[in-house]
Every structure is written in structure tokens, then in C-alpha cells.
């Protein structure tokens, strides 16, 4: 399937693959190599039916995904349009993974990349053009506000870096959120590029550099163990209201991000805030962590009435959601993290979060 499609009710009868409705729209724009029909609504003559029988998704995967690098992101059906489009174009139009492509400029196989991205300013909140340099050798991502000769504005370690597409949050179809740790606090920069191929090249170059770092940091781990750690989408994001440790402080509306890999519930003043205001470590249920939809007696003052209580070995954290659907989704996401066993790295993260309070 083009991007691990669900409900493949369409087909490209030139490529011999079955695809979903979303991917069919992308294939329609590849007129030189792809032609699309509905499986249920269009007429199929016998020779096209035989062609589809002789080919199909398994044959196409063997042909067009022969040499996909381990780090290269394979989109899911729920991923944003730019990821799905560039995956389809890389496979079928540029044939980057078939072994037939001889042009190294089209191969997204390097953890080194440089160029200009539009970056959102921390203070004025305007997007300005900045030079970025990614180095797999040094495991760093640098960006510059002036000439390169003046030195970088920031040097970001690949060690704790994550990149995830956030088109709705950034309000640009190619919007990318890059997060990293600085002095034990999560920081975010928000960037985009006008070109679809270029922004996805940046994303996969970051993944290549991260993969190289992980192989160095965990030399005995297999590729299948490391690939899920390269980058991740956040398990849940959205607004909740929170009160303080005394449970009598005024409730404040905050933007929350649940990072299941680091087991942290981060909160920000708004969705595009550069630096977290705080975080809650979400441990394992066997270590005294628990989430309920019941608020402690006497808690009042929130505009929203759908409550969540997160219990940790140290204290209770009180949140409220705007409606029952949001409450249910947050409960499910938090319980998903709490049900996971903790790794040695998780215990280190737990101690770091506690030390900051």
C-alpha cells in the first residue's frame, strides 16, 4: 500500500497497487506513472483485472521498497499529507528505493543536511528565515541568526532531539516541531519550508542522524529495537486546566503534551510556547502511579467540570477537561503510559523531574 493504507477501495492500474481514498488523490497528480480507478464504482475490463492479479501490493513492495533505509519514515494512514505525498513520490516517481536511482541528490540517506528554514521567533512570534546545519559527525543541529561566520545562535544535541510534523498547530502544511532538552527543560522550535520535498528531506535527515546516534549509544541493540526510538508523535495534546499543589490555587488553562517515550506530561502557556512551564512524570502503576476521573473533595474553581486526578508517590495533580470526550481521551492516553513497565532510562528521567521541583 502507498502509505500503509486502511480501507484500500481504490487502485492504481498502471502501478498495480491498491490504495485508500487519501492516497488516490496523490496518485491522481502522478499522471505520467499512475492512473486511478475506484474498485467498487468504476468499470474494470478483463485485462486490467488480470494485471492487478499479476501485481498487487506485495509485488510492488518488493520492487519499489527494495532499499528503504532503516531510519526512513514510512507514513501511517493518519499521518499528515506532506509525509504521505513525499513517501509516494519517493517510491514511485523518483524510485529512490528500487536500486534504479543513480542520482545521489535524490537519496535521503544522509544525517548531514544544511539549508534555510522559516523559524518562529521566541519573543516576536514571527517566522524568519534562518540557516540550519545538521551534522551526523558531531550529532548536532545548529541554526544561525546572522552570517555563519558569526557563530550559531544555538547548538542542539541530537541526543534528546525529537521532530514531529505539526501542520495544524503551526498553521502551515509543512510545519515541523523540533524539541530538545536544555538544562533539563524541554524546549521547542517551530519551523517550515515552502517545498514539500525539502521539509521531508530535513525530517528524514534528522532521523538518519538520530539513528546513527542511537547505534553509537546502544551498540548491541538491533535496528528493530532502535527504529521506534528515532522520533515519535506525541500520544495526546490539548488544553486542560490545572491547579497547584495545595489544590486551592486558581485553575489556569494550559496546553498539555503527553510524551509516552519519556513518560512526561508537559504543560505550556499556549501550543507554540518555546519552553515548558512544567512537567509531571508518569510512572508505572506498580510504583504508585494512578489516574482517576474523580476530583478530591473540596476542589473547586475550574470552569471545566470533567476532572482527572493523577496520583504519584509524591502528590496528586489535579486537571479538568472541557468535555467528557476530552476527559476520556486523556484518561486512555495516561493509562496507556501507566500500564507500560519502566526501563532503566525511565528511572533516570523520574529522578530528573523530581529534582527540578
Amino acid at each position: 500500500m502507498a502509505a500503509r493504507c486502511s480501507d484500500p477501495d481504490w487502485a492504481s492500474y498502471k502501478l498495480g497497487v491498491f490504495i485508500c481514498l487519501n492516497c488516490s488523490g496523490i496518485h491522481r497528480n502522478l499522471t505520467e506513472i499512475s492512473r486511478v480507478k475506484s474498485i467498487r464504482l468504476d468499470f474494470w475490463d478483463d485485462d486490467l483485472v488480470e494485471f492487478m492479479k499479476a501485481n498487487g501490493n506485495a509485488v510492488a513492495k518488493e520492487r519499489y521498497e527494495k532499499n528503504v533505509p532503516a531510519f526512513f519514515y514510512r507514513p501511517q494512514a493518519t499521518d499528515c499529507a506532506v509525509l504521505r505525498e513525499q513517501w509516494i513520490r519517493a517510491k514511485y516517481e523518483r524510485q529512490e528505493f528500487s536500486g534504479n536511482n543513480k542520482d545521489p541528490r535524490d537519496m535521503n540517506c544522509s544525517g548531514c543536511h544544511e539549508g534555510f528554514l522559516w523559524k518562529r521567533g521566541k519573543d516576536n512570534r514571527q517566522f524568519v528565515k534562518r540557516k540550519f546545519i545538521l551534522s551526523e559527525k558531531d550529532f548536532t543541529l545548529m541554526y544561525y541568526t546572522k552570517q555563519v561566520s558569526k557563530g550559531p545562535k544555538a547548538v542542539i544535541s541530537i541526543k534528546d532531539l525529537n521532530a514531529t510534523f505539526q501542520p495544524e498547530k503551526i498553521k502551515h502544511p509543512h510545519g515541523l516541531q523540533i524539541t530538545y532538552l536544555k538544562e533539563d527543560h524541554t524546549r521547542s522550535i517551530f519551523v517550515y519550508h515552502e517545498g514539500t520535498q525539502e521539509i521531508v528531506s530535513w525530517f528524514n535527515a534528522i532521523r538518519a542522524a538520530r539513528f546513527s546516534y542511537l547505534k553509537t549509544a546502544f551498540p548491541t541493540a538491533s535496528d528493530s529495537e532502535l527504529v521506534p526510538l528515532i522520533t515519535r508523535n506525541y500520544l495526546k495534546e490539548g488544553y486542560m486546566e490545572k491547579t497547584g499543589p495545595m489544590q486551592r490555587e486558581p485553575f489556569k488553562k494550559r496546553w498539555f503534551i503527553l510524551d509516552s517515550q519519556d513518560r512526561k506530561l508537559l504543560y505550556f502557556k499556549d501550543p507554540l510556547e518555546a519552553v515548558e512551564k512544567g512537567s509531571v512524570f508518569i510512572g508505572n502503576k506498580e510504583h504508585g502511579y494512578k489516574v482517576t476521573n474523580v476530583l478530591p473533595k473540596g476542589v473547586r474553581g475550574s470552569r471545566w467540570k470533567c476532572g482527572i486526578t493523577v496520583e504519584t508517590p509524591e502528590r496528586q495533580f489535579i486537571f479538568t477537561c472541557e468535555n467528557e470526550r476530552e476527559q476520556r481521551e486523556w484518561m486512555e492516553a495516561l493509562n496507556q503510559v501507566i500500564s507500560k513497565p519502566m526501563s532503566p532510562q525511565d528511572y533516570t528521567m523520574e529522578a530528573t523531574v523530581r529534582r527540578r521541583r
Side-chain angles (χ1 to χ4, degrees), residues 233-272:
N233 296 327
Y234 297 119
L235 189 57
K236 170 74 177 164
E237 293 190 58
Y239 280 112
M240 290 192 289
E241 290 194 338
K242 68 174 292 294
T243 185
M246 302 299 294
Q247 301 180 6
R248 293 191 296 270
E249 298 88 343
F251 276 84
K252 295 180 179 180
K253 185 179 178 181
R254 295 289 182 251
W255 180 264
F256 285 83
I257 294 176
L258 181 57
D259 184 344
S260 60
Q261 183 166 302
D262 284 349
R263 307 187 76 115
K264 288 196 297 185
L265 180 64
L266 305 158
Y267 56 92
F268 303 79
K269 187 175 180 180
D270 61 63
L272 296 179

Side-chain angles (χ1 to χ4, degrees), residues 51-86:
F51 177 77
M52 296 301 297
K53 284 182 178 179
N55 289 275
N57 291 19
V59 172
K61 184 174 182 179
E62 180 66 26
R63 180 185 304 145
Y64 295 107
E65 299 182 34
K66 188 183 300 182
N67 298 314
V68 182
F71 65 81
F72 199 94
Y73 188 75
R74 299 168 181 255
Q76 307 295 316
T78 54
D79 276 314
C80 63
V82 66
L83 274 173
R84 290 185 286 109
E85 177 195 341
Q86 285 304 309

Side-chain angles (χ1 to χ4, degrees), residues 267-285:
Y267 56 92
F268 303 79
K269 187 175 180 180
D270 61 63
L272 296 179
E273 191 76 17
V275 185
E276 58 157 292
K277 295 190 72 67
S279 63
V280 181
F281 183 82
I282 308 297
N284 180 262
K285 58 185 178 181

Side-chain angles (χ1 to χ4, degrees), residues 7-203:
D7 300 322
D9 288 336
W10 295 76
S12 168
Y13 60 88
K14 285 193 71 175
L15 294 169
V17 295
F18 296 92
I19 55 180
C20 69
L21 176 62
N22 287 335
C23 290
S24 71
I26 300 171
H27 277 262
R28 288 183 191 279
N29 293 324
L30 306 178
T31 54
E32 293 187 1
I33 61 171
S34 189
R35 292 285 191 276
V36 174
K37 279 179 177 284
S38 168
I39 296 174
R40 303 177 189 276
L41 303 178
D42 290 327
F43 174 77
W44 290 77
D45 51 33
D46 292 343
D47 59 339
L48 287 183
V49 173
E50 292 303 317
F51 177 77
M52 296 301 297
K53 284 182 178 179
N55 289 275
N57 291 19
V59 172
K61 184 174 182 179
E62 180 66 26
R63 180 185 304 145
Y64 295 107
E65 299 182 34
K66 188 183 300 182
N67 298 314
V68 182
F71 65 81
F72 199 94
Y73 188 75
R74 299 168 181 255
Q76 307 295 316
T78 54
D79 276 314
C80 63
V82 66
L83 274 173
R84 290 185 286 109
E85 177 195 341
Q86 285 304 309
W87 169 246
I88 291 168
R89 289 186 180 276
K91 279 175 59 176
Y92 302 122
E93 186 177 57
R94 300 192 293 270
Q95 296 192 24
E96 294 183 11
F97 318 120
S98 66
N100 299 328
N101 190 339
K102 305 300 182 183
D103 188 349
R105 293 174 299 176
D106 289 339
M107 291 300 292
N108 298 292
C109 297
S110 172
C112 297
H113 203 78
E114 65 176 88
F116 287 92
L117 295 170
W118 289 92
K119 176 189 173 292
R120 187 176 188 268
K122 178 182 175 183
D123 298 321
N124 63 17
R125 304 190 175 192
Q126 300 297 312
F127 280 90
V128 292
K129 213 169 191 178
R130 295 292 184 238
K131 177 69 175 287
F132 282 77
I133 298 178
L134 175 68
S135 172
E136 183 177 342
K137 177 183 176 183
D138 299 326
F139 295 135
T140 58
L141 174 67
M142 300 178 287
Y143 71 88
Y144 299 77
T145 57
K146 299 179 181 179
Q147 298 93 340
V148 173
S149 60
K150 299 286 186 179
K153 172 69 173 177
V155 179
I156 301 168
S157 171
I158 292 295
K159 176 178 180 291
D160 299 303
L161 185 145
N162 185 48
T164 179
F165 278 93
Q166 297 275 18
E168 293 183 5
K169 182 192 290 188
I170 298 173
K171 294 181 171 56
H172 191 283
H174 309 160
L176 189 68
Q177 179 177 355
I178 298 172
T179 58
Y180 58 98
L181 286 181
K182 183 176 181 180
E183 298 173 352
D184 293 332
H185 283 74
T186 298
R187 290 177 172 258
S188 297
I189 57 175
F190 303 94
V191 300
Y192 70 85
H193 193 280
E194 298 93 334
T196 55
Q197 185 175 351
E198 180 64 9
I199 194 64
V200 175
S201 292
W202 268 107
F203 179 63

